[in-house]
């Protein structure tokens, strides 16, 4: 087989299109410096920080750093590509589902068993010393101190087993998670985003067990990327309206705008206004009275959720 070799290119190169990014250079610098400071303070192996506009979904900054060699460098986009067990930040989804179904309210008293309970053969413990003296507390306070036992017991009581008609009760919870868009990737304009993973009792490959429900309720046996978790929290902040995260706002050919990529808003709310309002009060309480109260400042107000996840 003869392969002709010509000195001149037979296919002339064509200029590619330009993209206009949603990234704000000033905010990007602030985000990277803040992440660097936090990683050094905690001697962390790696970290990510993402800033997203609540109303539009525009990613204004995204920073990823990993300890390698003698310092921290950007080696991988953890925010988009790293799928991990989210841990305690997933508790908001569990409680929002129960708010939406009318099973609990903010000031309901719930047991937390002094921060320790057993599900089948496995003990679950709270990490906060605030739990150790309490037999019970309110839903609001349990979330503020991030009580694993409180949230898991609530979910287990409401969704374990079957109902009077023989229906598997956990499927109601999983249907709520689907309503919250927790099963869907964000579709961000970067390759490599994995799908979220939430177990299904009907799928034999998922190895559903008696431990799955209580541990799933507090963010284990599920995996999501930081951007996917952020998208859920952003939806709550946006009064229950989901907006797709995006990094590209325009496509241009030289000076000519070829396409404007407008924000993509969902036509439905993931939950009622009443349920979303309760979720926001939970997040406010974490900063005002709970595990994030040391981060409070008089300069501005904010709300959120701290989270930890133990990984082998």
């Amino acid at each position: 087989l003869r392969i002709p070799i010509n000195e001149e290119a037979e296919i002339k190169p064509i200029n590619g299109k330009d993209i206009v990014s949603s990234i704000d250079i000033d905010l990007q610098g602030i985000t990277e410096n803040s992440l660097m400071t936090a990683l050094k303070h905690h001697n962390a192996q790696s970290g990510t920080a993402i800033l997203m506009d609540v109303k539009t979904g525009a990613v204004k900054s995204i920073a990823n750093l990993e300890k390698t060699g003698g310092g921290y460098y950007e080696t991988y986009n953890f925010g988009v590509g790293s799928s991990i067990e989210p841990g305690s930040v997933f508790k908001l989804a569990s409680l929002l589902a129960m708010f939406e179904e009318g099973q609990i309210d903010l000031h309901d008293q719930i047991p937390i068993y002094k921060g320790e309970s057993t599900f089948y053969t496995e003990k679950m413990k709270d990490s906060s010393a605030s739990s150790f003296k309490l037999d019970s507390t309110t839903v609001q306070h349990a979330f503020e101190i991030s009580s694993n036992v409180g949230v898991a017991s609530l979910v287990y009581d409401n969704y374990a087993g079957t109902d009077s008609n023989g229906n598997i009760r956990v499927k109601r919870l999983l249907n709520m998670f689907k309503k919250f868009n927790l099963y869907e990737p964000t579709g961000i304009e970067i390759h490599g985003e994995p799908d979220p993973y939430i177990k299904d009792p009907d799928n034999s490959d998922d190895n559903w067990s008696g431990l799955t429900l209580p541990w799933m309720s507090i963010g284990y046996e599920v995996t999501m990327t930081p951007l996917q978790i952020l998208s859920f929290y952003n939806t709550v902040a946006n009064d229950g309206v989901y907006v797709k995260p995006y990094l590209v706002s325009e496509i241009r050919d030289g000076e000519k705008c070829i396409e404007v990529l407008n924000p993509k808003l969902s036509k439905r709310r993931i939950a009622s206004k009443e349920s979303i309002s309760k979720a926001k009060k939970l997040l406010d309480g974490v900063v005002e009275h709970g595990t994030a109260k040391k981060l409070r400042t008089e300069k501005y107000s904010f709300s959120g959720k701290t989270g930890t996840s133990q990984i082998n």
Side-chain angles (χ1 to χ4, degrees), residues 27-41:
L27 293 176
Q28 181 68 28
I30 294 170
T31 302
E32 290 181 1
N33 288 335
S34 298
L35 178 61
M36 179 75 77
T37 300
L39 293 177
K40 288 180 177 179
H41 176 77

Side-chain angles (χ1 to χ4, degrees), residues 139-180:
V139 171
Q140 175 79 48
H141 188 236
F143 188 80
E144 290 172 356
I145 62 175
S146 200
S147 172
N148 295 331
V149 172
V151 174
S153 297
L154 268 178
V155 170
Y156 191 80
D157 290 344
N158 283 289
Y159 295 109
T162 57
D163 61 21
S164 57
N165 296 319
N167 298 315
I168 300 174
R169 296 203 296 169
V170 73
K171 289 190 176 181
R172 297 199 337 265
L173 177 64
L174 299 182
N175 285 334
M176 293 302 300
F177 289 165
K178 289 178 182 176
K179 186 179 177 183
F180 299 162

Side-chain angles (χ1 to χ4, degrees), residues 62-78:
I62 178 168
N64 298 276
L65 295 171
E66 182 177 22
K67 184 188 290 185
T68 178
Y72 287 98
Y73 302 95
E74 186 164 0
T75 60
Y76 183 74
N77 194 328
F78 297 104

Side-chain angles (χ1 to χ4, degrees), residues 161 205 303:
D205 293 335
S303 60

Side-chain angles (χ1 to χ4, degrees), residues 8-255:
E8 297 182 359
E10 294 185 354
I11 301 176
K12 294 183 178 180
I14 300 174
N15 290 331
K17 303 294 189 295
D18 297 321
I19 63 169
V20 178
S21 170
S22 61
I23 296 294
D24 182 299
I25 296 300
D26 293 331
L27 293 176
Q28 181 68 28
I30 294 170
T31 302
E32 290 181 1
N33 288 335
S34 298
L35 178 61
M36 179 75 77
T37 300
L39 293 177
K40 288 180 177 179
H41 176 77
H42 294 287
N43 191 28
Q45 180 61 37
S46 62
T48 183
I50 310 170
L51 182 63
M52 190 167 106
D53 186 276
V54 172
K55 295 297 182 183
T56 68
V59 176
K60 293 297 185 181
S61 63
I62 178 168
N64 298 276
L65 295 171
E66 182 177 22
K67 184 188 290 185
T68 178
Y72 287 98
Y73 302 95
E74 186 164 0
T75 60
Y76 183 74
N77 194 328
F78 297 104
V80 171
S82 179
S83 192
I84 58 172
E85 290 179 310
S88 292
V89 294
F90 195 77
K91 291 172 182 172
L92 183 66
S94 298
L95 293 183
L96 180 59
M98 289 184 284
F99 287 147
E100 189 69 352
E101 290 202 320
Q103 295 171 337
I104 59 170
D105 209 342
L106 289 171
H107 303 296
D108 288 349
Q109 284 285 326
I110 62 170
I112 60 171
Y113 309 108
K114 291 185 170 63
E116 184 174 320
S117 186
T118 299
F119 297 93
Y120 288 87
T121 59
E122 296 294 325
K123 280 188 177 181
M124 180 182 290
K125 295 183 179 181
D126 286 352
S127 59
S128 171
S130 303
S131 300
F132 302 156
K133 298 179 180 180
L134 297 174
D135 290 312
S136 65
T137 189
T138 64
V139 171
Q140 175 79 48
H141 188 236
F143 188 80
E144 290 172 356
I145 62 175
S146 200
S147 172
N148 295 331
V149 172
V151 174
S153 297
L154 268 178
V155 170
Y156 191 80
D157 290 344
N158 283 289
Y159 295 109
T162 57
D163 61 21
S164 57
N165 296 319
N167 298 315
I168 300 174
R169 296 203 296 169
V170 73
K171 289 190 176 181
R172 297 199 337 265
L173 177 64
L174 299 182
N175 285 334
M176 293 302 300
F177 289 165
K178 289 178 182 176
K179 186 179 177 183
F180 299 162
N181 297 319
L182 295 178
Y183 280 73
E184 301 298 324
T186 66
I188 195 76
E189 303 94 342
I190 296 178
H191 290 298
E193 180 189 16
D195 290 340
Y197 172 65
I198 300 177
K199 286 188 173 182
D200 187 334
D202 289 335
N203 188 343
S204 59
D205 293 335
D206 284 347
N207 296 316
W208 186 280
S209 74
L211 297 174
T212 298
L213 178 58
W215 260 262
M216 179 179 68
S217 71
I218 60 171
Y220 292 92
E221 299 198 33
V222 300
T223 59
M224 300 177 70
T225 67
L227 182 63
Q228 290 161 1
I229 298 166
L230 171 61
S231 297
F232 170 64
Y233 272 74
N234 191 81
T235 304
V236 173
N238 197 32
D239 298 324
V241 177
Y242 174 81
V243 290
K244 177 187 176 298
Y246 70 89
L247 274 165
V248 179
S249 57
E250 288 183 16
I251 300 175
R252 304 183 68 87
D253 186 357
E255 297 298 321

